[in-house]
């Protein structure tokens, strides 16, 4: 366990160095969030009755989504890992007395946390000063805030476990690009990154909410502004625990299987 | 004439080069298709819930998005060399270009011709046809011309933006990601007619970065919401945006000191 904690710390320290990149990212995310809110405002002005959640809850959802983008955007994957699998450098990692699945898990968690921590506070701070329906509101209650933090971390873990599944699958195909793109588009769509899940028609939505993708950003961002009932929240968080366990178990099994049959071709 | 011939030669080299890796080409193309398909699905499901947005219906929004996507992918296909220009400055590749007795802009453009963007282009064309079939626009010669002008003007605006991005690389290589707001952002948010974003945004996109000239105003003309002929020619007017881009580039080249590697 100790070595994985140090992996986390090392990566975190590395990630926190990229401050200019973070600044540019903040500007981008801020513009992005603003534009998204303007779209939703236009729909709200046209037909407020069809809106599935309040406008201010939607605005909070969007600002949180932008602030914690690094937690949940699956397209930010570690190219180093893909490269090492393709060019064979992975052999060095396999010689070490570490479990590569756990190591990758620790490293990915660290990269995403570092990147999010650099970006989230400025975005949230500015969003807090934007007037009411368009800015970010205070959390609905201390309990909601606590559940928000809990489901945020769970969502991060589910996302990381999912990306790890893609890394492991790269062992079985030489060019992981295609796989990666299909997975990325699925996750973006089903997790509520394109439009929040409440905006989908009810029938499709109730199915989508059971998928592992809904356990990524969807839960935390909706818990924050209390746009889920107590019962729904309980179910959603339990589902997060379930998917984390299921995906991580599948990833570990697959990883062990891959390690057994892996052939590194000289060089 | 000679420069065009040279450019076509560059293009053919690029395409032949890419065709050496057919699987990779195919997969990237499919990936491009999938990513913009997500945006389309987003629009589709929004309109399942809402019948219109500020008076624009589903098929009208689709037309709007299709045109913007087509413009963007054409511009990206051609001007991808500018988009990856920071790498050329960093590794000193640009020095090699400067010593050749040819226009440097053509050479930079020639470094990359992204045929994989055909995936997005294809998507845009399909959506455009679908939008035409679903909407009840009566097509006249002047409206077809308007669409053509939109494509020309829009591709020019996006190319000019890539150009500015490349010119900025002469001054700094850090933190230029914010330019994505104007390129990727415009593609992403140009899917809805700019008018829905409010007055201020409309003013900004009319006079500062002329997106509205290639998107909103001509769209109004096509949808018969405006009838004045001037709306038809506004997209061509947007080409003025090339002037500051070229000036900035010239200035940048003059200030350029090699990175030394």
């Amino acid at each position: 366990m100790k070595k994985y904690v140090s992996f986390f710390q090392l990566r975190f320290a590395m990630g926190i160095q990229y401050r200019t990149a973070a600044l540019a990212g903040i500007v981008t995310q801020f513009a992005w969030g603003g534009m998204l809110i303007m779209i939703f405002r236009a729909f709200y002005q046209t037909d407020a009755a069809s809106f599935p959640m309040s406008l201010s809850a939607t605005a909070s959802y969007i600002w949180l989504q932008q602030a914690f983008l690094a937690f949940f955007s699956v397209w930010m994957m570690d190219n180093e890992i893909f490269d090492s699998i393709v060019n064979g450098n992975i052999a060095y990692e396999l010689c070490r007395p570490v479990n590569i699945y756990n190591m990758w898990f620790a490293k990915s968690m660290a990269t995403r946390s570092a990147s999010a921590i650099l970006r989230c506070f400025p975005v949230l701070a500015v969003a807090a000063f934007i007037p009411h329906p368009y800015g970010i509101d205070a959390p609905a209650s201390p309990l909601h805030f606590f559940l928000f933090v809990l489901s945020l971390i769970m969502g991060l873990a589910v996302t990381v476990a999912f990306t790890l599944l893609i890394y492991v699958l790269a062992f079985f195909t030489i060019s992981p690009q295609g796989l990666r793109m299909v997975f990325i588009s699925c996750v973006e769509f089903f997790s509520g990154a394109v439009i929040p899940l409440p905006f989908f028609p009810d029938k499709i939505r109730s199915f989508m909410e059971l998928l592992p993708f809904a356990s990524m950003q969807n839960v935390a961002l909706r818990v924050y502004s209390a746009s889920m009932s107590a019962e729904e929240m309980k179910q959603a968080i339990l589902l997060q625990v379930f998917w984390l366990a299921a995906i991580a178990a599948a990833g570990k099994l697959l990883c062990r299987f891959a390690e057994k049959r892996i052939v590194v071709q000289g060089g | 004439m000679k420069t065009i011939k040279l450019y076509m030669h560059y293009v053919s080299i690029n395409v032949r080069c890419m065709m050496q890796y057919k699987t990779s080409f195919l997969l990237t193309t499919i990936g491009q298709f999938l990513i913009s398909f997500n945006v389309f699905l987003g629009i589709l499901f929004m309109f399942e819930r809402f019948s219109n947005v500020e008076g624009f219906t589903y098929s009208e929004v689709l037309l709007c998005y299709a045109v913007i996507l087509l413009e963007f992918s054409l511009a990206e296909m051609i001007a991808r060399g500018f988009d990856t220009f920071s790498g050329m400055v960093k590794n000193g590749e640009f020095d090699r270009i400067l010593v050749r007795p040819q226009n440097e802009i053509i050479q930079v453009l020639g470094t990359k011709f992204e045929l994989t963007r055909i995936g997005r282009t294809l998507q845009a064309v399909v959506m455009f046809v679908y939008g035409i079939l679903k909407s009840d626009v009566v097509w006249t010669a002047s409206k077809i011309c308007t669409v053509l002008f939109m494509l020309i003007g829009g591709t020019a605006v996006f190319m000019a933006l890539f150009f500015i991005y490349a010119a900025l690389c002469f001054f700094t290589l850090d933190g230029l990601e914010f330019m994505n707001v104007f390129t990727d952002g415009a593609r992403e948010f140009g899917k809805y007619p700019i008018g829905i974003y409010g007055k201020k945004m409309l003013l900004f996109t009319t006079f500062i970065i002329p997106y509205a000239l290639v998107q909103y105003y001509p769209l109004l003309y096509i949808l018969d919401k405006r009838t004045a002929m001037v709306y038809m020619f506004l997209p061509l007017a947007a080409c003025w945006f090339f002037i500051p881009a070229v000036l900035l580039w010239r200035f940048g080249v003059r200030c350029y000191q090699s990175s030394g590697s």
Side-chain angles (χ1 to χ4, degrees), chain A residues 180-198:
Chain A
R180 194 173 158 181
M181 292 232 194
V182 173
F183 272 120
I184 290 174
S185 347
C186 281
V187 173
E188 290 261 295
F189 186 70
F190 287 107
S191 69
V194 179
I195 53 174
L197 293 191

Side-chain angles (χ1 to χ4, degrees), chain A residues 99-131:
Chain A
N99 178 314
I100 49 171
Y101 187 90
N102 294 352
M103 180 184 73
W104 284 346
F105 198 93
K107 280 187 177 174
S108 305
M109 288 289 271
T111 317
R112 283 174 190 274
S113 312
S115 170
I117 279 172
L118 278 179
R119 287 165 171 80
C120 72
F121 295 113
V123 173
L124 292 179
V126 179
F129 282 101
I130 296 174

Side-chain angles (χ1 to χ4, degrees), chain B residues 219-239:
Chain B
L219 190 76
L220 291 180
Y221 179 76
I222 292 176
L223 302 177
D224 287 320
K225 291 180 198 250
R226 297 280 191 284
T227 47
M229 281 296 265
V230 68
Y231 286 92
M232 183 177 151
F233 294 102
L234 278 179
L236 291 181
C239 295

Side-chain angles (χ1 to χ4, degrees), chain A residues 12-61:
Chain A
F12 190 82
M14 242 169 85
I16 217 107
Q17 299 306 319
Y18 296 96
R19 299 212 179 90
T20 337
L23 192 68
I26 290 165
V27 174
T28 312
Q29 264 134 48
F30 205 73
W32 218 265
M35 295 299 284
L36 276 172
I37 288 174
M38 283 201 248
I39 291 183
F40 283 107
R41 183 189 64 176
F43 277 102
Y44 190 79
Q45 280 168 351
T46 313
D47 186 3
S50 303
F51 228 65
M53 49 210 256
S54 72
L55 187 58
S56 70
T58 315
S60 298
Y61 182 103

Side-chain angles (χ1 to χ4, degrees), chain A residues 24 28 31-32 35 38-43 45-47 50-52 181 185 189 194-195 198-201 204, chain B residues 27 31 34 38 41-42 45-46 48-50 52-54 174-175 177-178 181 184-185 188-189 192 196-197 201:
Chain A
T28 312
W32 218 265
M35 295 299 284
M38 283 201 248
I39 291 183
F40 283 107
R41 183 189 64 176
F43 277 102
Q45 280 168 351
T46 313
D47 186 3
S50 303
F51 228 65
M181 292 232 194
S185 347
F189 186 70
V194 179
I195 53 174
F199 284 85
F200 284 95
I204 303 173
Chain B
L27 287 173
L34 279 178
N38 264 346
L41 285 180
F45 283 113
M46 280 307 270
E48 288 271 294
R49 189 171 280 278
F50 303 92
N52 71 81
V53 56
E54 310 259 324
D174 265 342
E177 291 94 332
F178 78 92
V181 172
D184 291 333
E188 186 70 24
F189 295 107
Y192 293 110
I196 73 163
Y197 295 110
M201 188 51 83

Side-chain angles (χ1 to χ4, degrees), chain A residues 93-165:
Chain A
E93 310 285 351
L94 290 169
C95 296
R96 292 184 185 135
V98 287
N99 178 314
I100 49 171
Y101 187 90
N102 294 352
M103 180 184 73
W104 284 346
F105 198 93
K107 280 187 177 174
S108 305
M109 288 289 271
T111 317
R112 283 174 190 274
S113 312
S115 170
I117 279 172
L118 278 179
R119 287 165 171 80
C120 72
F121 295 113
V123 173
L124 292 179
V126 179
F129 282 101
I130 296 174
H132 170 62
Y134 307 122
I136 182 167
D137 282 348
S141 72
L143 175 69
H144 279 98
F145 183 72
F146 170 73
L147 289 176
F148 161 73
V149 175
L150 181 73
S151 56
L152 193 69
I153 296 167
M154 286 302 292
L156 169 66
V158 173
T159 312
V160 167
F162 198 84
T163 55
L164 252 56
L165 207 55

